[in-house]
Structure formats: C-alpha cells, structure tokens
Amino acid sequence: MSNTKVLPLVEPETAVEPCCPPLAERPFSAEEAERTAKMFKALGDPVRLRLFSAVAAHADGEACVCDISDVGVSQPTVSHHLKKLKEAGLLSSERRGTWVYYRVEPSVVAAMGRLLTAAAG
Amino acid sequence: MSNTKVLPLVEPETAVEPCCPPLAERPFSAEEAERTAKMFKALGDPVRLRLFSAVAAHADGEACVCDISDVGVSQPTVSHHLKKLKEAGLLSSERRGTWVYYRVEPSVVAAMGRLLTAAAG
DNA sequence: ACAAGGCATCGACGGACATCGAATCAGAGG
DNA sequence: CCTCTGATTCGATGTCCGTCGATGCCTTGT
C-alpha cells in the first residue's frame, strides 16, 4: 500500500448522522429540530464562523490550530470553540506530533447545504 | 407645524443583503462573520427551526401563525421567535385581515445553502 | 360602539453560553 | 529527567437569550 495515511478513527461520541431530513417536505419534529439546531447553532457564533472559514479556506483542507488562532480571542477560547464545532460534527481533528490539525467534515456540511437549498425552493 | 409628525420611518429590515461571501475562498473577516452568524444563529434554536420548517413545508409557501403555533411554547414565545427569523431575513410577514402570514425568503436561504455547499466541496 | 379573538410588545426571571486566567496534559528536544 | 512549547481542561464571571404572564394593538362581528 502506497498510501500511508492514517484515518482518524475517532468516532465522535454520538455518531453524527448524515444529517437531516429535507426541510420543506414536512414540519420538523421536536427531536429532528433539536438535533439539527445544534449544527446551525455551532455556526451561529462569529468566532466559530471565522475559525470554520479559516479551516475551510486553508490549503489541503486542513489547518493547524496555530495557523488559525488569530481571531481576537484568547487561545483557550479558540480551543473551546473548535471543540464545539467538532461536537457538532462539522470539524474533525487529528494530532500529528506537536500540532493538532482540524479539517472540514464534507458530508455533514453538504447535508446542511442541501437542507437549505431545498427550503429555498 | 403640528402636522410634521415624526414617523417611525423604519427601513432597516430590508437592508438584509443577499447574504454572504463564499466560505472556503478566504477566511471570514470579523465583520463578515458577525453578519453571517446572525442568520445561522436564527436557525440554531429548535423552536425556530420547527417554525421555519413549518412555513417552508406549508402549501403555497406561506403559513398563518395560527397554523404553525403548535410547537410546545406559549404564544408570545412563538411571536418572539418569528420576529427573530424575520430580523435575520429568513422570513417575511404580511397581515391580511385577521391573520398574519409568514413566508420563506428564498434568496437569503439559497445564499446560505450555497455558502455551505461551497465549503463542503 | 362594544365585545371577542389573533398577534405583538413589555418586563421579569432563570438557565445557557462566551470569555478569561490558571492549571494541566501531551510531544519534542536537550 | 527536565524544560519548553502547543493545546486542552478547569473554575469563575458577566452577559445573552429563551420563556412566561400581563398588557396593548388591530381587525372582525354583533
């Protein structure tokens, strides 16, 4: 095998499902809304949105914390927000030596996008 | 002089721009993040998500408040959340006789969808 | 004009959350 | 082993926000 890439194998506590049923098909149930709202809430903070955007815009689709931590808040706060994004399933992380790298979770983000696109019409 | 009545003259609600720059192209600035986060935050609450979904799923693309207000919270709370969604530019409202109708604002929702779709790919 | 119903606003309360400094954990290197 | 640096966790604090009952506004029907 030529590819030595190591899969994270992290398995976030609650397996983040593909995401969400279509938004305009039928009214959300309380449970569906509870689950889906967490993802939107994760992006509903300016600092988290900047961090997420910084990761998404970074080359190779991943970014070290040290590369994106200049968003005007302290370093513990950056770590706190990255954890939130990870819990929401939008980011995944992997430690390689000294640094920790974060990357966008494409399937979850794409599902959120489809959810909105469907609602628009 | 007495006829120079001071009107509220509210024009700000319509100032909601098409939405947002691409997410994965470059890191968001603080201002961009501030503006965009408001929209995601609006969908980051389970009750608001249910209300939004109920409107989006309703026939003719619009729904009376009386048709969607059964989400487990009091009537003032429903009104409060609908106002938030309206302020975020995701819904618009119109009074016709006794009832008030809400409808999805397609351009804004579509822009949010594209923003995420771009980040995923 | 009056009463009734739908919806919005107000004021208050309680829980959630963003933020920070300090402490702690995890690798790399001397 | 010890130290240095990067990153997370902990504990405290101030603010924001979701929720409610009471109240007010608007429209309809009597």
Short mmCIF file of all heavy atoms in Angstrom, two decimals, chain D residues 8-27:
data_model
loop_
_atom_site.label_atom_id
_atom_site.label_comp_id
_atom_site.label_asym_id
_atom_site.label_seq_id
_atom_site.Cartn_x
_atom_site.Cartn_y
_atom_site.Cartn_z
P DT D 8 -6.84 21.94 20.95
OP1 DT D 8 -7.51 21.07 19.99
OP2 DT D 8 -7.02 23.41 20.89
"O5'" DT D 8 -7.21 21.43 22.43
"C5'" DT D 8 -6.85 20.12 22.82
"C4'" DT D 8 -7.05 19.92 24.32
"O4'" DT D 8 -6.23 20.87 25.03
"C3'" DT D 8 -8.49 20.15 24.82
"O3'" DT D 8 -8.91 19.00 25.54
"C2'" DT D 8 -8.38 21.38 25.71
"C1'" DT D 8 -6.94 21.32 26.17
N1 DT D 8 -6.37 22.62 26.58
C2 DT D 8 -6.04 22.82 27.89
O2 DT D 8 -6.19 21.98 28.75
N3 DT D 8 -5.52 24.07 28.16
C4 DT D 8 -5.31 25.11 27.27
O4 DT D 8 -4.84 26.18 27.63
C5 DT D 8 -5.67 24.82 25.90
C7 DT D 8 -5.50 25.85 24.85
C6 DT D 8 -6.18 23.61 25.62
P DT D 9 -10.42 18.89 26.11
OP1 DT D 9 -10.83 17.48 26.05
OP2 DT D 9 -11.22 19.91 25.42
"O5'" DT D 9 -10.28 19.32 27.64
"C5'" DT D 9 -9.35 18.65 28.46
"C4'" DT D 9 -9.31 19.28 29.85
"O4'" DT D 9 -8.65 20.56 29.79
"C3'" DT D 9 -10.69 19.54 30.49
"O3'" DT D 9 -10.68 19.02 31.81
"C2'" DT D 9 -10.81 21.06 30.48
"C1'" DT D 9 -9.36 21.49 30.58
N1 DT D 9 -9.07 22.85 30.05
C2 DT D 9 -8.47 23.77 30.87
O2 DT D 9 -8.16 23.54 32.01
N3 DT D 9 -8.24 24.99 30.27
C4 DT D 9 -8.54 25.36 28.98
O4 DT D 9 -8.28 26.48 28.56
C5 DT D 9 -9.17 24.34 28.17
C7 DT D 9 -9.54 24.63 26.75
C6 DT D 9 -9.40 23.16 28.74
P DC D 10 -12.07 19.05 32.67
OP1 DC D 10 -12.12 17.80 33.45
OP2 DC D 10 -13.21 19.42 31.79
"O5'" DC D 10 -11.82 20.27 33.69
"C5'" DC D 10 -10.55 20.39 34.31
"C4'" DC D 10 -10.53 21.57 35.27
"O4'" DC D 10 -10.10 22.76 34.57
"C3'" DC D 10 -11.87 21.91 35.91
"O3'" DC D 10 -11.68 22.18 37.29
"C2'" DC D 10 -12.32 23.16 35.16
"C1'" DC D 10 -10.99 23.81 34.81
N1 DC D 10 -11.04 24.65 33.58
C2 DC D 10 -10.53 25.95 33.61
O2 DC D 10 -10.07 26.40 34.66
N3 DC D 10 -10.57 26.70 32.48
C4 DC D 10 -11.09 26.18 31.35
N4 DC D 10 -11.11 26.95 30.27
C5 DC D 10 -11.61 24.87 31.31
C6 DC D 10 -11.57 24.13 32.44
P DG D 11 -12.97 22.19 38.27
OP1 DG D 11 -12.60 21.46 39.50
OP2 DG D 11 -14.18 21.80 37.51
"O5'" DG D 11 -13.09 23.75 38.62
"C5'" DG D 11 -11.94 24.48 39.04
"C4'" DG D 11 -12.27 25.95 39.19
"O4'" DG D 11 -12.15 26.61 37.91
"C3'" DG D 11 -13.67 26.24 39.70
"O3'" DG D 11 -13.61 27.29 40.67
"C2'" DG D 11 -14.44 26.66 38.44
"C1'" DG D 11 -13.34 27.31 37.61
N9 DG D 11 -13.55 27.23 36.17
C8 DG D 11 -14.13 26.20 35.47
N7 DG D 11 -14.18 26.41 34.19
C5 DG D 11 -13.61 27.65 34.01
C6 DG D 11 -13.38 28.41 32.83
O6 DG D 11 -13.65 28.11 31.67
N1 DG D 11 -12.76 29.62 33.11
C2 DG D 11 -12.41 30.05 34.36
N2 DG D 11 -11.83 31.24 34.44
N3 DG D 11 -12.62 29.35 35.48
C4 DG D 11 -13.21 28.17 35.22
P DA D 12 -14.96 27.91 41.31
OP1 DA D 12 -14.70 28.08 42.75
OP2 DA D 12 -16.14 27.15 40.86
"O5'" DA D 12 -15.00 29.36 40.62
"C5'" DA D 12 -13.82 30.15 40.61
"C4'" DA D 12 -14.08 31.45 39.86
"O4'" DA D 12 -14.11 31.18 38.43
"C3'" DA D 12 -15.40 32.15 40.20
"O3'" DA D 12 -15.18 33.53 40.38
"C2'" DA D 12 -16.29 31.83 39.01
"C1'" DA D 12 -15.28 31.76 37.88
N9 DA D 12 -15.68 30.93 36.74
C8 DA D 12 -16.19 29.66 36.80
N7 DA D 12 -16.47 29.16 35.62
C5 DA D 12 -16.11 30.15 34.73
C6 DA D 12 -16.14 30.24 33.33
N6 DA D 12 -16.59 29.25 32.55
N1 DA D 12 -15.70 31.38 32.76
C2 DA D 12 -15.26 32.37 33.55
N3 DA D 12 -15.17 32.40 34.87
C4 DA D 12 -15.62 31.25 35.41
P DT D 13 -16.35 34.48 40.91
OP1 DT D 13 -15.78 35.40 41.91
OP2 DT D 13 -17.52 33.63 41.25
"O5'" DT D 13 -16.72 35.31 39.60
"C5'" DT D 13 -15.68 35.81 38.75
"C4'" DT D 13 -16.30 36.45 37.52
"O4'" DT D 13 -16.52 35.46 36.49
"C3'" DT D 13 -17.67 37.12 37.76
"O3'" DT D 13 -17.70 38.38 37.13
"C2'" DT D 13 -18.64 36.15 37.11
"C1'" DT D 13 -17.80 35.63 35.95
N1 DT D 13 -18.25 34.34 35.40
C2 DT D 13 -18.27 34.17 34.03
O2 DT D 13 -17.92 35.05 33.26
N3 DT D 13 -18.69 32.94 33.61
C4 DT D 13 -19.11 31.89 34.40
O4 DT D 13 -19.47 30.82 33.90
C5 DT D 13 -19.09 32.13 35.82
C7 DT D 13 -19.51 31.06 36.76
C6 DT D 13 -18.66 33.33 36.25
P DG D 14 -18.66 39.54 37.67
OP1 DG D 14 -17.82 40.52 38.37
OP2 DG D 14 -19.81 38.90 38.36
"O5'" DG D 14 -19.20 40.21 36.32
"C5'" DG D 14 -18.32 40.43 35.23
"C4'" DG D 14 -19.05 40.23 33.91
"O4'" DG D 14 -19.29 38.81 33.72
"C3'" DG D 14 -20.42 40.91 33.83
"O3'" DG D 14 -20.49 41.68 32.64
"C2'" DG D 14 -21.43 39.76 33.86
"C1'" DG D 14 -20.62 38.62 33.27
N9 DG D 14 -21.05 37.29 33.71
C8 DG D 14 -21.26 36.87 35.01
N7 DG D 14 -21.64 35.63 35.10
C5 DG D 14 -21.69 35.20 33.78
C6 DG D 14 -22.04 33.93 33.25
O6 DG D 14 -22.39 32.90 33.86
N1 DG D 14 -21.96 33.92 31.86
C2 DG D 14 -21.59 35.00 31.08
N2 DG D 14 -21.56 34.80 29.77
N3 DG D 14 -21.26 36.18 31.56
C4 DG D 14 -21.33 36.20 32.91
P DT D 15 -21.79 42.59 32.35
OP1 DT D 15 -21.30 43.93 31.98
OP2 DT D 15 -22.76 42.40 33.45
"O5'" DT D 15 -22.40 41.91 31.05
"C5'" DT D 15 -21.52 41.43 30.03
"C4'" DT D 15 -22.24 40.44 29.14
"O4'" DT D 15 -22.48 39.22 29.88
"C3'" DT D 15 -23.62 40.93 28.66
"O3'" DT D 15 -23.63 40.91 27.23
"C2'" DT D 15 -24.61 39.93 29.25
"C1'" DT D 15 -23.74 38.71 29.51
N1 DT D 15 -24.22 37.84 30.62
C2 DT D 15 -24.56 36.54 30.35
O2 DT D 15 -24.51 36.06 29.24
N3 DT D 15 -24.98 35.82 31.45
C4 DT D 15 -25.08 36.27 32.76
O4 DT D 15 -25.46 35.53 33.65
C5 DT D 15 -24.70 37.63 32.96
C7 DT D 15 -24.76 38.22 34.34
C6 DT D 15 -24.29 38.36 31.91
P DC D 16 -24.89 41.56 26.46
OP1 DC D 16 -24.36 42.42 25.38
OP2 DC D 16 -25.83 42.11 27.45
"O5'" DC D 16 -25.54 40.27 25.79
"C5'" DC D 16 -24.68 39.27 25.24
"C4'" DC D 16 -25.45 37.98 25.04
"O4'" DC D 16 -25.72 37.36 26.32
"C3'" DC D 16 -26.81 38.15 24.35
"O3'" DC D 16 -26.93 37.17 23.33
"C2'" DC D 16 -27.81 37.93 25.48
"C1'" DC D 16 -27.07 36.95 26.38
N1 DC D 16 -27.49 36.96 27.80
C2 DC D 16 -27.86 35.76 28.42
O2 DC D 16 -27.85 34.72 27.75
N3 DC D 16 -28.23 35.77 29.72
C4 DC D 16 -28.23 36.92 30.41
N4 DC D 16 -28.59 36.89 31.69
C5 DC D 16 -27.84 38.16 29.80
C6 DC D 16 -27.49 38.14 28.51
P DC D 17 -28.13 37.25 22.27
OP1 DC D 17 -27.57 36.83 20.98
OP2 DC D 17 -28.77 38.57 22.42
"O5'" DC D 17 -29.15 36.13 22.76
"C5'" DC D 17 -28.66 34.84 23.12
"C4'" DC D 17 -29.77 34.01 23.73
"O4'" DC D 17 -29.91 34.32 25.14
"C3'" DC D 17 -31.15 34.24 23.12
"O3'" DC D 17 -31.83 33.01 23.07
"C2'" DC D 17 -31.81 35.17 24.11
"C1'" DC D 17 -31.27 34.59 25.41
N1 DC D 17 -31.35 35.49 26.58
C2 DC D 17 -31.68 34.97 27.82
O2 DC D 17 -31.88 33.75 27.92
N3 DC D 17 -31.75 35.80 28.88
C4 DC D 17 -31.51 37.10 28.73
N4 DC D 17 -31.59 37.88 29.80
C5 DC D 17 -31.18 37.65 27.47
C6 DC D 17 -31.12 36.83 26.42
P DG D 18 -32.80 32.64 21.85
OP1 DG D 18 -31.93 31.99 20.88
OP2 DG D 18 -33.59 33.84 21.49
"O5'" DG D 18 -33.79 31.54 22.46
"C5'" DG D 18 -33.27 30.54 23.29
"C4'" DG D 18 -34.25 30.17 24.38
"O4'" DG D 18 -34.20 31.15 25.44
"C3'" DG D 18 -35.72 30.10 23.94
"O3'" DG D 18 -36.32 28.96 24.51
"C2'" DG D 18 -36.32 31.40 24.48
"C1'" DG D 18 -35.49 31.63 25.74
N9 DG D 18 -35.38 33.04 26.11
C8 DG D 18 -35.12 34.10 25.27
N7 DG D 18 -35.06 35.23 25.90
C5 DG D 18 -35.28 34.92 27.23
C6 DG D 18 -35.34 35.76 28.38
O6 DG D 18 -35.20 36.98 28.45
N1 DG D 18 -35.59 35.02 29.53
C2 DG D 18 -35.78 33.65 29.57
N2 DG D 18 -36.01 33.12 30.78
N3 DG D 18 -35.73 32.86 28.51
C4 DG D 18 -35.48 33.57 27.38
P DT D 19 -37.81 28.51 24.11
OP1 DT D 19 -37.87 27.04 24.18
OP2 DT D 19 -38.14 29.21 22.85
"O5'" DT D 19 -38.73 29.07 25.28
"C5'" DT D 19 -38.58 28.57 26.60
"C4'" DT D 19 -39.30 29.45 27.60
"O4'" DT D 19 -38.63 30.73 27.67
"C3'" DT D 19 -40.74 29.81 27.24
"O3'" DT D 19 -41.61 28.83 27.77
"C2'" DT D 19 -40.95 31.18 27.90
"C1'" DT D 19 -39.54 31.63 28.30
N1 DT D 19 -39.21 33.00 27.85
C2 DT D 19 -39.12 33.99 28.79
O2 DT D 19 -39.28 33.79 29.97
N3 DT D 19 -38.84 35.23 28.29
C4 DT D 19 -38.63 35.57 26.97
O4 DT D 19 -38.38 36.72 26.64
C5 DT D 19 -38.74 34.48 26.02
C7 DT D 19 -38.55 34.72 24.57
C6 DT D 19 -39.02 33.27 26.51
P DC D 20 -43.20 28.93 27.44
OP1 DC D 20 -43.78 27.60 27.73
OP2 DC D 20 -43.37 29.54 26.12
"O5'" DC D 20 -43.78 29.95 28.54
"C5'" DC D 20 -43.56 29.68 29.91
"C4'" DC D 20 -43.86 30.91 30.73
"O4'" DC D 20 -42.96 31.96 30.33
"C3'" DC D 20 -45.26 31.46 30.53
"O3'" DC D 20 -46.09 31.09 31.61
"C2'" DC D 20 -45.08 32.98 30.47
"C1'" DC D 20 -43.58 33.21 30.52
N1 DC D 20 -43.10 34.13 29.45
C2 DC D 20 -42.62 35.40 29.79
O2 DC D 20 -42.61 35.72 30.98
N3 DC D 20 -42.19 36.23 28.81
C4 DC D 20 -42.22 35.82 27.55
N4 DC D 20 -41.80 36.66 26.62
C5 DC D 20 -42.71 34.52 27.18
C6 DC D 20 -43.14 33.73 28.15
P DG D 21 -47.71 31.28 31.42
OP1 DG D 21 -48.38 30.27 32.28
OP2 DG D 21 -48.03 31.35 29.98
"O5'" DG D 21 -47.97 32.72 32.04
"C5'" DG D 21 -47.73 32.94 33.43
"C4'" DG D 21 -47.94 34.41 33.78
"O4'" DG D 21 -47.07 35.22 32.94
"C3'" DG D 21 -49.36 34.94 33.53
"O3'" DG D 21 -49.73 35.82 34.60
"C2'" DG D 21 -49.25 35.65 32.20
"C1'" DG D 21 -47.82 36.16 32.20
N9 DG D 21 -47.23 36.23 30.87
C8 DG D 21 -47.28 35.28 29.88
N7 DG D 21 -46.65 35.63 28.80
C5 DG D 21 -46.14 36.88 29.08
C6 DG D 21 -45.38 37.76 28.27
O6 DG D 21 -44.97 37.60 27.12
N1 DG D 21 -45.08 38.95 28.94
C2 DG D 21 -45.47 39.25 30.22
N2 DG D 21 -45.10 40.43 30.70
N3 DG D 21 -46.19 38.43 30.98
C4 DG D 21 -46.50 37.28 30.35
P DA D 22 -51.18 36.51 34.61
OP1 DA D 22 -51.59 36.61 36.02
OP2 DA D 22 -52.04 35.82 33.63
"O5'" DA D 22 -50.90 37.99 34.05
"C5'" DA D 22 -49.86 38.76 34.64
"C4'" DA D 22 -49.73 40.09 33.92
"O4'" DA D 22 -49.03 39.90 32.66
"C3'" DA D 22 -51.06 40.77 33.57
"O3'" DA D 22 -50.99 42.16 33.91
"C2'" DA D 22 -51.22 40.53 32.08
"C1'" DA D 22 -49.77 40.51 31.61
N9 DA D 22 -49.54 39.72 30.41
C8 DA D 22 -49.99 38.47 30.14
N7 DA D 22 -49.63 38.00 28.97
C5 DA D 22 -48.89 39.04 28.42
C6 DA D 22 -48.23 39.18 27.18
N6 DA D 22 -48.20 38.24 26.25
N1 DA D 22 -47.58 40.36 26.95
C2 DA D 22 -47.61 41.31 27.89
N3 DA D 22 -48.20 41.29 29.10
C4 DA D 22 -48.83 40.11 29.29
P DT D 23 -52.26 43.08 33.73
OP1 DT D 23 -52.23 44.06 34.83
OP2 DT D 23 -53.44 42.21 33.52
"O5'" DT D 23 -51.97 43.84 32.36
"C5'" DT D 23 -50.70 44.45 32.15
"C4'" DT D 23 -50.56 44.88 30.71
"O4'" DT D 23 -50.35 43.72 29.86
"C3'" DT D 23 -51.78 45.60 30.12
"O3'" DT D 23 -51.41 46.93 29.77
"C2'" DT D 23 -52.18 44.77 28.90
"C1'" DT D 23 -50.89 44.01 28.61
N1 DT D 23 -51.10 42.73 27.88
C2 DT D 23 -50.51 42.58 26.64
O2 DT D 23 -49.85 43.45 26.12
N3 DT D 23 -50.74 41.36 26.06
C4 DT D 23 -51.47 40.31 26.56
O4 DT D 23 -51.61 39.27 25.93
C5 DT D 23 -52.05 40.53 27.86
C7 DT D 23 -52.87 39.45 28.51
C6 DT D 23 -51.83 41.72 28.45
P DG D 24 -52.52 47.93 29.20
OP1 DG D 24 -52.21 49.27 29.76
OP2 DG D 24 -53.86 47.35 29.37
"O5'" DG D 24 -52.18 47.95 27.64
"C5'" DG D 24 -50.84 48.20 27.22
"C4'" DG D 24 -50.74 48.11 25.70
"O4'" DG D 24 -50.81 46.72 25.30
"C3'" DG D 24 -51.86 48.84 24.95
"O3'" DG D 24 -51.30 49.57 23.87
"C2'" DG D 24 -52.77 47.71 24.47
"C1'" DG D 24 -51.78 46.56 24.29
N9 DG D 24 -52.37 45.24 24.45
C8 DG D 24 -53.12 44.81 25.52
N7 DG D 24 -53.52 43.57 25.41
C5 DG D 24 -53.01 43.16 24.19
C6 DG D 24 -53.12 41.92 23.53
O6 DG D 24 -53.71 40.90 23.90
N1 DG D 24 -52.45 41.94 22.29
C2 DG D 24 -51.76 43.00 21.79
N2 DG D 24 -51.19 42.83 20.61
N3 DG D 24 -51.65 44.17 22.40
C4 DG D 24 -52.30 44.18 23.59
P DC D 25 -52.24 50.51 22.97
OP1 DC D 25 -51.48 51.77 22.81
OP2 DC D 25 -53.61 50.52 23.54
"O5'" DC D 25 -52.29 49.77 21.56
"C5'" DC D 25 -51.08 49.37 20.93
"C4'" DC D 25 -51.37 48.60 19.66
"O4'" DC D 25 -51.82 47.27 20.02
"C3'" DC D 25 -52.49 49.21 18.80
"O3'" DC D 25 -52.08 49.21 17.44
"C2'" DC D 25 -53.67 48.28 19.03
"C1'" DC D 25 -52.98 46.95 19.29
N1 DC D 25 -53.79 46.02 20.11
C2 DC D 25 -54.03 44.71 19.65
O2 DC D 25 -53.56 44.37 18.56
N3 DC D 25 -54.75 43.87 20.41
C4 DC D 25 -55.24 44.27 21.59
N4 DC D 25 -55.96 43.40 22.31
C5 DC D 25 -55.01 45.60 22.08
C6 DC D 25 -54.28 46.43 21.32
P DC D 26 -52.96 50.07 16.36
OP1 DC D 26 -51.97 50.77 15.52
OP2 DC D 26 -54.02 50.80 17.08
"O5'" DC D 26 -53.65 48.94 15.48
"C5'" DC D 26 -52.85 47.89 14.91
"C4'" DC D 26 -53.75 46.76 14.43
"O4'" DC D 26 -54.30 46.08 15.58
"C3'" DC D 26 -54.94 47.22 13.60
"O3'" DC D 26 -54.92 46.54 12.37
"C2'" DC D 26 -56.16 46.84 14.43
"C1'" DC D 26 -55.62 45.70 15.30
N1 DC D 26 -56.33 45.53 16.59
C2 DC D 26 -56.95 44.30 16.88
O2 DC D 26 -56.89 43.39 16.06
N3 DC D 26 -57.59 44.16 18.07
C4 DC D 26 -57.63 45.16 18.94
N4 DC D 26 -58.27 44.97 20.09
C5 DC D 26 -57.01 46.42 18.66
C6 DC D 26 -56.37 46.55 17.48
P DT D 27 -55.83 47.05 11.14
OP1 DT D 27 -54.98 46.97 9.93
OP2 DT D 27 -56.45 48.34 11.54
"O5'" DT D 27 -56.98 45.96 11.02
"C5'" DT D 27 -56.65 44.58 10.90
"C4'" DT D 27 -57.82 43.70 11.26
"O4'" DT D 27 -58.08 43.79 12.68
"C3'" DT D 27 -59.13 44.07 10.58
"O3'" DT D 27 -59.49 43.04 9.67
"C2'" DT D 27 -60.14 44.22 11.71
"C1'" DT D 27 -59.44 43.55 12.87
N1 DT D 27 -59.81 44.12 14.19
C2 DT D 27 -60.41 43.30 15.12
O2 DT D 27 -60.66 42.14 14.93
N3 DT D 27 -60.70 43.92 16.32
C4 DT D 27 -60.45 45.24 16.66
O4 DT D 27 -60.76 45.68 17.76
C5 DT D 27 -59.82 46.03 15.62
C7 DT D 27 -59.53 47.48 15.89
C6 DT D 27 -59.53 45.44 14.46
#
